[in-house]
Amino acid sequence: MTRDILVTGGAGFIGANFVLDWLRKDGADGIINVDKLTYAGNRKTLASLKGDARHIFSQTDICDRAALDKLFAAHKPRAVVHFAAESHVDRSIHGPGEFIQTNIVGTFTLLEAARAYWGGLDDVGKAAFRFLHVSTDEVFGSLGPNDPHFSETTGYQPNSPYSASKAASDHLVRAYYHTYGLPVLTTNCSNNYGPYHFPEKLIPLMINNALAGKPLPVYGDGLNVRDWLYVSDHCAAIREVLARGRLGETYNVGGWNEKTNLDVVHTLCDLLDELRPKAASSHRDQITFVKDRPGHDRRYAIDARKLERELGWKPAETFETGLRKTVQWYLDNQAWVEDVMSGDYRNWLTKQYAA
Ligand code: NAD
Ligand code: TYD
């Protein structure tokens, strides 16, 4: 076994932030980055790693067992950090099939490949190996206004094909610990935001539309609540859980930042009014209320006290500092955004927002 770790989905939003943060540290262990490069994966995000021998990229589907076996045999990683997934709720409503395939069949295939590799390690290697599964708070379903935050013991009640497929993958990971003893860890995180966020998601979509003078499409009454976490705080939490988490345990990760969607969009507009003012009006004037998402969860809120108590993790960014950094990043990185706004993404915008 080497010191390298195998990361799946490392060309996507959170995976790429994780890879970049990890390798920023001098002497960091190497990364085998396994990504299919779907519409959401982008090698340009990893451009700064060109020539860095610690980063090996493999364009591979996690549903391809033979390819995974080869990667495990060639690189002998000490851990897997599993980000790869179909991740957008609205896309899961239009086409759930890919979500079942990647999130459930893909996670199963990766678990099987990891189990076979782990089974062949010596006792020291077996004890040191980790399989960390990155999941979401959406598996817990929707909270009422006065319900307590989601804790690690909250029951699963997923409401979208996305969250149902992630819930299934969480259950498989758990089962591999109890049935086969595979040393697994699971994190369930709230909504992330930050650099390299694909512009189909709320925050980058609103920044892009605001800058382009387009409507800002708020679903329903805009009072759905999400609990926002800056992406590098999520990456730090994953590093802590990987290093010191208790085997078989799940850890909730969240920023204690419950906001309505309307609050988020207002704050974004105000930041843009300050950083990129329009001649005679506010970006708020672009807000438009549109048809609600079917099965739209009303409120998510994470109780992250277990992670703080056991591993000492706390978010470094507040919502205000993180959102300001994010808006500034999008202003400074319009070339990245333009690159992502390919023909394919334009087709999605037409399908989702044309009405
Ligand atoms: P993303 O959609 O930005 O990136 C997903 C990445 O996985 C892409 O690079 C894509 O090419 C890759 N991928 C997709 N299918 C694949 C396959 N079959 N084989 C190999 N690679 C494949 O997603 P994200 O927002 O970075 O989310 C990463 C993980 O974190 C997901 O598991 C998601 O459920 C979880 N999560 C996300 C959030 C959030 O707010 N974005 C919050 C909590 C948890
Ligand atoms: P999203 O970024 O898709 O994350 P998730 O659904 O996984 O929480 O959406 C965040 C919230 O923003 C969610 O309540 C749906 C809402 N939303 C809009 O109001 N308009 C939009 O165009 C999008 C993409 C999302």
Side-chain angles (χ1 to χ4, degrees):
M1 200 171 71
T2 66
R3 294 285 311 158
D4 292 347
I5 64 169
L6 188 150
V7 168
T8 70
F13 164 47
I14 307 174
N17 273 284
F18 179 84
V19 168
L20 292 169
D21 284 0
W22 179 277
L23 293 175
R24 223 162 258 145
K25 211 175 80 193
D26 277 342
D29 299 331
I31 286 184
I32 325 305
N33 189 346
V34 178
D35 195 300
K36 181 181 173 182
L37 294 179
T38 66
Y39 79 93
N42 186 351
R43 286 208 69 179
K44 293 224 168 74
T45 305
L46 303 163
S48 64
L49 298 177
K50 203 160 180 234
D52 188 333
R54 298 170 304 167
H55 181 244
I56 295 170
F57 186 84
S58 170
Q59 184 172 1
T60 298
D61 186 337
I62 55 162
C63 299
D64 183 343
R65 174 67 196 272
L68 291 177
D69 285 345
K70 273 193 199 143
L71 286 166
F72 275 106
H75 300 289
K76 301 186 171 45
R78 69 171 170 92
V80 171
V81 183
H82 176 33
F83 294 95
E86 288 293 335
S87 70
H88 190 33
V89 173
D90 292 324
R91 286 190 192 247
S92 82
I93 295 167
H94 285 284
E98 282 295 308
F99 289 72
I100 303 306
Q101 190 58 25
T102 286
N103 299 0
I104 305 179
V105 179
T107 300
F108 162 70
T109 309
L110 183 67
L111 281 165
E112 280 289 272
R115 180 166 78 93
Y117 163 71
W118 173 73
L121 296 173
D122 61 20
D123 286 349
V124 176
K126 270 204 182 87
F129 186 75
R130 296 288 181 270
F131 183 106
L132 191 153
H133 175 57
V134 179
S135 193
T136 166
D137 61 355
E138 303 195 23
V139 297
F140 299 121
S142 185
L143 293 170
N146 300 316
D147 288 339
H149 293 56
F150 298 132
S151 79
E152 287 78 3
T153 55
T154 303
Y156 276 30
Q157 290 193 324
N159 294 318
S160 72
Y162 164 65
S163 53
S165 65
K166 288 298 289 188
S169 67
D170 293 11
H171 291 323
L172 281 169
V173 171
R174 176 189 159 89
Y176 272 62
Y177 174 70
H178 287 281
T179 305
Y180 304 114
L182 189 71
V184 307
L185 300 151
T186 296
T187 53
N188 293 92
C189 189
S190 61
N191 285 62
N192 284 214
Y193 66 100
Y196 305 113
H197 204 179
F198 195 81
E200 67 190 354
K201 304 282 169 66
L202 178 76
I203 288 180
L205 182 112
M206 294 297 171
I207 297 172
N208 286 344
N209 282 17
L211 291 173
K214 292 185 184 160
L216 307 180
V218 173
Y219 297 164
D221 60 7
L223 298 181
N224 301 67
V225 172
R226 296 292 181 266
D227 183 352
W228 294 94
L229 183 69
Y230 192 64
V231 63
S232 62
D233 281 325
H234 185 192
C235 295
I238 291 170
R239 292 196 299 274
E240 289 298 336
V241 174
L242 183 64
R244 296 187 294 119
R246 286 189 290 131
L247 294 186
E249 293 289 313
T250 68
Y251 291 88
N252 281 3
V253 189
W256 304 100
N257 282 314
E258 281 186 69
K259 305 279 174 202
T260 65
N261 293 336
L262 212 47
D263 276 344
V264 172
V265 177
H266 282 157
T267 311
L268 284 171
C269 289
D270 297 348
L271 279 166
L272 286 168
D273 286 346
E274 177 195 328
L275 299 170
R276 195 55 68 84
K278 293 204 291 187
S281 61
S282 163
H283 290 92
R284 286 192 185 208
D285 300 341
Q286 290 166 237
I287 293 173
T288 325
F289 290 90
V290 301
K291 192 167 161 283
D292 209 354
R293 169 189 282 173
H296 194 175
D297 287 338
R298 194 64 173 167
R299 173 179 168 236
Y300 302 143
I302 279 276
D303 177 344
R305 282 177 298 177
K306 178 177 173 183
L307 188 55
E308 185 178 344
R309 195 174 56 243
E310 291 192 11
L311 303 178
W313 174 89
K314 266 192 195 174
E317 300 291 343
T318 64
F319 187 64
E320 288 66 31
T321 59
L323 206 61
R324 181 175 285 275
K325 280 188 183 175
T326 303
V327 170
Q328 192 61 58
W329 187 88
Y330 278 90
L331 290 174
D332 295 343
N333 289 276
Q334 281 296 298
W336 182 89
V337 177
E338 274 153 32
D339 189 67
V340 167
M341 304 284 278
S342 66
D344 220 30
Y345 180 56
R346 289 212 188 88
N347 294 340
W348 164 254
L349 289 177
T350 310
K351 189 168 172 182
Q352 174 70 3
Y353 296 101

